[in-house]
Amino acid sequence: MEAIIALSEKTVTLERNEFLKVKGSIDTNVYYVENGSLRIFILDDFEEQTIRFGYKNNLIASLDSFLTGKPSDFFIQAIKKTVVQIITKKQMDQFLKENDNATLWIQILQNLVVQQMEREVDLLTNSPKERYQRVLKRSPQLFQEIPSRYIANYLRMSAETLSRLKKS
């Protein structure tokens, strides 16, 4: 991971609620979160649906656009003041040509796929309580970094339900 982060030659600071990427844009970068937090979401009939979060020491991207070169349906927005390092597609492509770096990238992508599949299964088969407990176990830092209203949206429950679950 350090080798990927070391590729970055540019850092960007985003203020709270500022967008790193918007729907319809092509994203040719991967971002390493130095500090702060971001969310990836889509707009579904004027309702936001949170897909993923990124916070300190995470990589985040509009991966669909990064991999295909096509416009993305995703928004990436800072939840609070956030500093990200930018790694361009050109830098990544060069990095992947060297040594065993492609293996590292494949491992990162495989991990993302497994996480996404686990999340989909959670949403389709588990109760709100089970979803909350699984995310708490898998990513306890999430609850320190991300406001409850975004976590509730991510877990597909109301903020009130999440509040009750936290208390029980």
Side-chain angles (χ1 to χ4, degrees):
M1 185 72 100
E2 290 90 18
I4 293 174
I5 298 161
L7 298 172
S8 174
E9 297 173 354
K10 185 177 179 185
T11 301
V12 172
T13 300
L14 301 164
E15 297 301 323
R16 181 175 178 255
N17 295 325
E18 189 175 348
F19 287 92
L20 183 60
K21 283 294 167 188
V22 295
K23 178 181 179 175
S25 63
I26 296 173
D27 197 354
T28 57
N29 301 314
V30 172
Y31 308 95
Y32 173 75
V33 183
E34 275 187 28
N35 60 55
S37 57
L38 301 143
R39 67 187 181 118
I40 296 180
F41 69 95
I42 59 170
L43 265 176
D44 178 23
D45 295 331
F46 305 104
E47 187 176 343
E48 296 174 358
Q49 299 293 336
T50 301
I51 307 295
R52 188 162 203 79
F53 297 106
Y55 40 83
K56 189 173 182 166
N57 301 326
N58 287 166
L59 286 177
I60 193 167
S62 292
L63 206 51
D64 60 332
S65 184
F66 182 81
L67 294 173
T68 66
K70 296 179 181 176
S72 178
D73 288 332
F74 297 116
F75 294 83
I76 303 178
Q77 182 183 36
I79 294 172
K80 58 186 173 185
K81 187 173 182 175
T82 302
V83 177
V84 296
Q85 292 183 27
I86 299 172
I87 300 118
T88 67
K89 180 135 178 85
K90 183 178 177 183
Q91 290 168 320
M92 280 298 294
D93 289 345
Q94 184 62 41
F95 174 77
L96 294 175
K97 290 177 185 174
E98 300 168 6
N99 302 322
D100 292 329
N101 293 340
T103 303
L104 170 65
W105 183 240
I106 289 168
Q107 290 172 340
I108 290 169
L109 293 176
Q110 287 173 336
N111 187 36
L112 285 171
V113 168
V114 168
Q115 287 175 11
Q116 195 62 36
M117 290 172 68
E118 288 175 351
R119 180 169 183 273
E120 287 180 30
V121 169
D122 275 351
L123 292 174
L124 293 171
T125 63
N126 292 329
S127 69
K129 183 177 183 178
E130 291 168 322
R131 292 194 304 266
Y132 165 73
Q133 289 172 337
R134 186 171 171 102
V135 168
L136 182 60
K137 182 179 177 183
R138 188 174 60 226
S139 304
Q141 185 183 358
L142 182 74
F143 292 88
Q144 278 92 46
E145 299 287 335
I146 308 296
S148 291
R149 67 184 174 125
Y150 295 123
I151 297 171
N153 181 275
Y154 174 76
L155 293 172
R156 303 297 185 259
M157 63 180 69
S158 69
E160 295 79 14
T161 298
L162 179 59
S163 178
R164 278 195 303 274
L165 290 171
K166 283 175 149 181
K167 291 176 184 174
S168 63

